[in-house]
Amino acid sequence: MTAPKVYEAISSVMAVMSKEGIAKDRRNQQQGYSFRGIDDVYNALGSVLAENKLMMLPRVVDQKREERATAKGGVLIYTILTVEFDMVCALDGSMHTVRMVGEAMDSADKSGNKAQSAALKYAALQVFMIPTEGDNDADAATHEVAAKPAQKPVQPKQEKPKAETPFDEPSTPTGDPDAVVDDLCARA
């Protein structure tokens, strides 16, 4: 039995992309970080996929949307898509499916498109293990997390300790108020 050619095609794309990589040449001006855009991925990967007879065919399998308020009182549409990408080899029709989540926000009608682009970009970067010039390893940064506020511990009910002084012991009054007063004075 012949092995499915899809895995050979994926491996060939990985070999090319591991040498070329995709640099983080774009800059997010608001938050000050560098990134690789979807067009960078298309430009670097498109011809390599074609040369290796490999297609990435997307299919949205789940979609969630909600409105979120901006800091200035506007509205953003927040979209989360779960997208499956069928990696299909054109030589024998063999296929491997990859699932990725993409999320995005937009103030108009583009959050779905942006979420699908994010899903494709990260599926490609992870499947083909495309390196970058920067260090985006999860272990490269250490985050300081604030401790959770201490919760007041629940104290179990405790039995009353035995009396150590005569004042703590219960008196046994005879019912005569003068006897009670005398008893208390005697304990003092």
Side-chain angles (χ1 to χ4, degrees):
M1 181 175 177
T2 308
K5 293 191 182 255
V6 68
Y7 299 111
E8 182 181 334
I10 290 171
S11 178
S12 296
V13 172
M14 287 173 75
V16 172
M17 295 312 300
S18 69
K19 292 176 186 149
E20 292 182 16
I22 302 174
K24 290 185 176 183
D25 289 336
R26 297 181 188 261
R27 186 99 177 134
N28 177 301
Q29 298 303 319
Q30 290 176 319
Q31 296 174 325
Y33 62 86
S34 298
F35 67 98
R36 301 179 273 193
I38 186 64
D39 287 331
D40 300 326
V41 174
Y42 285 150
N43 291 336
L45 199 54
S47 62
V48 179
L49 289 172
E51 288 168 12
N52 288 281
K53 308 289 189 244
L54 185 64
M55 299 173 284
M56 289 183 72
L57 307 175
R59 176 178 53 259
V60 175
V61 295
D62 189 42
Q63 170 181 290
K64 294 181 178 106
R65 287 187 184 194
E66 64 183 58
E67 287 186 7
R68 292 192 174 175
T70 67
K72 295 181 180 178
V75 175
L76 287 174
I77 306 300
Y78 177 58
T79 300
I80 301 173
L81 299 179
T82 302
V83 184
E84 289 184 345
F85 295 92
D86 293 331
M87 313 290 280
V88 181
C89 181
L91 298 175
D92 67 349
S94 59
M95 175 178 78
H96 182 85
T97 301
V98 175
R99 182 179 281 209
M100 184 60 60
V101 172
E103 51 186 288
M105 291 186 209
D106 192 75
S107 59
D109 62 347
K110 301 290 187 271
S111 66
N113 298 353
K114 289 178 178 182
Q116 191 161 4
S117 293
L120 174 65
K121 180 172 86 170
Y122 288 104
L125 293 175
Q126 291 180 12
V127 167
F128 302 117
M129 298 173 68
I130 302 173
T132 179
E133 293 178 350
D135 186 4
N136 59 359
D137 193 296
D139 292 329
T142 302
H143 302 282
E144 291 186 29
V145 178
K148 288 185 177 180
Q151 293 181 353
K152 188 174 181 180
V154 176
Q155 296 292 330
K157 285 190 174 183
Q158 297 179 0
E159 291 185 28
K160 228 179 182 179
K162 286 207 164 202
E164 295 181 12
T165 67
F167 294 106
D168 294 331
E169 294 177 8
S171 64
T172 52
T174 61
D176 178 13
D178 291 331
V180 173
V181 172
D182 290 340
D183 184 49
L184 289 174
C185 289
R187 292 175 186 241

